[in-house]
Amino acid sequence: MGVVEDINTAAKIINEADAVTLISHIDADGITSEAIVSQALTRAGISVNPVFIRQLEPLTMKHIPKDDTLKIFTDLGSGQQNLLEEAKISADKVIILDHHIAQEAPNGTKYFQVNSQFYGEEYAKCSAAGIAYLLARKISESNKDLAKLAVVGNIGDMMARENCMLTGAAHWIAEDGESAGKVKIVRGINCYGLSTRALHIVLSNSDDPIIPGISGAPQSAIKLLLKTGIYKSQTDTKTFEELNTEEIKILSSALAQQMIANGESPERLIAEIYFFPDETIKTPLRNASEYATMLNACGRWTKPKIGEAVCFGDRGIKYREAEHMLRHHRSIIRELCEYILETGVEDMGSIQAINTGNRYPDTIVGIGAGMALSKLNPDKPILVMCEVSDEPDLLKISMRTYEKVLRRGVDLQEVLVKASAEFNGAGGGHNIAAGAYIPKGCENDFTRRVNELVENQFAAGSKNR
């Protein structure tokens, strides 16, 4: 069946349900997916019980109630159908809304899925939040306001990273949000912090692309902004969102010239940015990437329901708690990044690796890896390994890389799925950012195997160019 038929089927099953248990992942895509579906069902008068879990695995299956409610899994489930089968969860009581690679249940139980990977190129870059939104729109046209949350989920799961904009179904959803007055689509510089941070900080923090002479050099960024007339003084703190159209053109041109003069392509300099005009200016909720970071902070520090409350519209107590978690989140990630840089990574040939042990939570090592990579060798993927606090026999693996490395044939998701399976673990994620869990004790052999697989991808990629 196609996406329209599957969405219709899902809506029909939901409309016939008396109550729903909504099981979702704790990252930005998972939280927004849950919030979209939960609000759509609540508006339809259907009782909802939310359950957030870090990952769907044997130890977290106990959190799924053994009752007759309809179980809707968002941003997880497609790759863990074996666990649903083992738990004897009836197929007629399950809907999976996902975008990860599906793995069929070993004994043939057919769980109903709406998975963006099933519907061709137009849906390939649509996260679970996008699928959740399509379902919400089918349940009622009045749910069009939830497009904003779908944009946050798509951006949070890096659906815009490869093309510097949302594409296909994800872009249609952004346009839906724009027509509802909830989303403003703008062409701007491909940097983070465009609503809350001073421009010179935004530019000096840029790592994709790296801007020679500007990235890592806030004083040089100030000089450029003074030279272009965008800053009026050394103490100016104007944000990108405060620029007018002409100033955006001047800034984009100056940065492009800076990159070309230093032998770098400016192809990733400009991106499509998604602002939310109904949110307060200079807050993290004003644009999709910063909104997603706040939700990730809530999830990574085991408070996804606070993120859910923000998605539901809370701008009081819960929002202030989310702001506190965001500040804490950033502080610890900076500390982790500094630790990686000060300790140093091991250059294994095709990857660079480090084991942080039990120093930092497993929920944030991937983010720290991504930040540290910009100050290490950007041509080699980074692998960060750490212990899992509540699973003493497991190790968490996080890998990150850049688009230019993907163009050389590297796919981190493929590497970690294959390598972890060889060591009785499990992996998943995306080509640019992936993770895995492996048994403790095999870490040295595992990293060597990962290095070998990435080396093979580099070799195959060079032959195909």
Side-chain angles (χ1 to χ4, degrees), residues 65 96 111 204 372 432:
I96 298 172
Y111 292 102
S204 64
I432 198 168

Side-chain angles (χ1 to χ4, degrees), residues 348-375:
M348 302 187 68
S350 292
I351 67 169
Q352 45 201 331
I354 184 172
N355 189 338
T356 62
N358 62 0
R359 293 173 182 83
Y360 298 96
D362 62 285
T363 53
I364 68 164
V365 291
I367 303 167
M371 287 182 63
L373 184 57
S374 66
K375 298 175 176 64

Side-chain angles (χ1 to χ4, degrees), residues 88-402:
K88 295 182 170 53
I89 299 176
S90 174
D92 63 1
K93 291 293 184 181
V94 168
I95 294 176
I96 298 172
L97 308 177
D98 206 349
H99 69 121
H100 296 100
I101 295 172
Q103 300 286 337
E104 292 185 2
N107 293 321
T109 305
K110 299 293 183 183
Y111 292 102
F112 179 70
Q113 302 177 68
V114 188
N115 187 317
S116 57
Q117 298 302 311
F118 296 167
Y119 310 119
E121 189 63 27
E122 294 288 3
Y123 290 85
K125 294 292 181 181
C126 182
S127 72
I131 293 297
Y133 174 72
L134 296 177
L135 175 59
R137 275 294 305 271
K138 180 60 186 178
I139 292 171
S140 173
E141 285 288 318
S142 65
N143 291 323
K144 195 173 180 179
D145 62 310
L146 301 176
K148 173 173 133 180
L149 295 179
V151 171
V152 175
N154 274 303
I155 292 295
D157 235 40
M158 298 186 291
M159 295 295 108
R161 187 158 186 171
E162 181 178 351
N163 298 294
C164 297
M165 64 181 293
L166 296 174
T167 59
H171 200 273
W172 307 338
I173 292 167
E175 292 170 347
D176 229 16
E178 189 172 45
S179 70
K182 297 293 184 180
V183 180
K184 181 181 179 183
I185 303 174
V186 175
R187 295 290 291 174
I189 55 173
N190 186 19
C191 295
Y192 178 84
L194 301 183
S195 294
T196 62
R197 297 178 178 177
L199 261 174
H200 67 280
I201 299 298
V202 165
L203 296 177
S204 64
N205 285 343
S206 178
D207 63 359
D208 183 22
I210 293 174
I211 307 170
I214 301 295
S215 294
Q219 288 304 313
S220 296
I222 289 173
K223 288 179 182 178
L224 177 73
L225 293 166
L226 287 169
K227 182 180 177 181
T228 57
I230 292 170
Y231 268 15
K232 306 306 178 187
S233 71
Q234 286 272 353
T235 57
D236 207 336
T237 57
K238 184 182 290 185
T239 66
F240 174 84
E241 200 177 356
E242 293 176 297
L243 302 184
N244 59 40
T245 303
E246 185 60 27
E247 287 173 322
I248 293 174
K249 289 180 181 177
I250 291 170
L251 177 60
S252 301
S253 176
L255 293 172
Q257 290 174 27
Q258 177 85 5
M259 296 185 74
I260 293 168
N262 285 276
E264 295 291 333
S265 168
E267 65 175 334
R268 293 189 60 77
L269 180 63
I270 304 301
E272 202 168 76
I273 316 297
Y274 307 93
F275 292 103
F276 305 133
D278 61 336
E279 298 290 354
T280 304
I281 60 171
K282 295 191 175 183
T283 70
L285 303 184
R286 186 70 179 183
N287 69 64
S289 59
E290 294 188 77
Y291 198 140
T293 300
M294 175 173 276
L295 297 184
N296 275 325
C298 295
R300 303 297 182 188
W301 295 97
T302 67
K303 300 288 185 182
K305 288 193 175 182
I306 291 178
E308 176 198 50
V310 172
C311 291
F312 281 16
D314 187 296
R315 298 297 179 265
I317 293 173
K318 296 297 184 184
Y319 174 68
R320 288 193 290 275
E321 288 184 43
E323 282 188 311
H324 171 74
M325 276 188 287
L326 179 59
R327 288 192 293 271
H328 176 67
H329 182 64
R330 286 173 171 164
S331 173
I332 299 299
I333 288 173
R334 279 195 298 272
E335 184 183 314
L336 167 59
C337 182
E338 289 168 5
Y339 173 81
I340 293 172
L341 296 174
E342 289 172 3
T343 305
V345 293
E346 179 185 0
D347 188 335
M348 302 187 68
S350 292
I351 67 169
Q352 45 201 331
I354 184 172
N355 189 338
T356 62
N358 62 0
R359 293 173 182 83
Y360 298 96
D362 62 285
T363 53
I364 68 164
V365 291
I367 303 167
M371 287 182 63
L373 184 57
S374 66
K375 298 175 176 64
L376 296 167
N377 184 343
D379 296 321
K380 295 181 180 182
I382 185 172
L383 181 153
V384 179
M385 182 181 297
C386 72
E387 295 179 9
V388 183
S389 59
D390 54 352
E391 295 288 343
D393 296 327
L394 290 181
L395 293 170
K396 168 72 180 293
I397 312 297
S398 291
M399 291 192 73
R400 297 292 186 272
T401 193
Y402 288 128

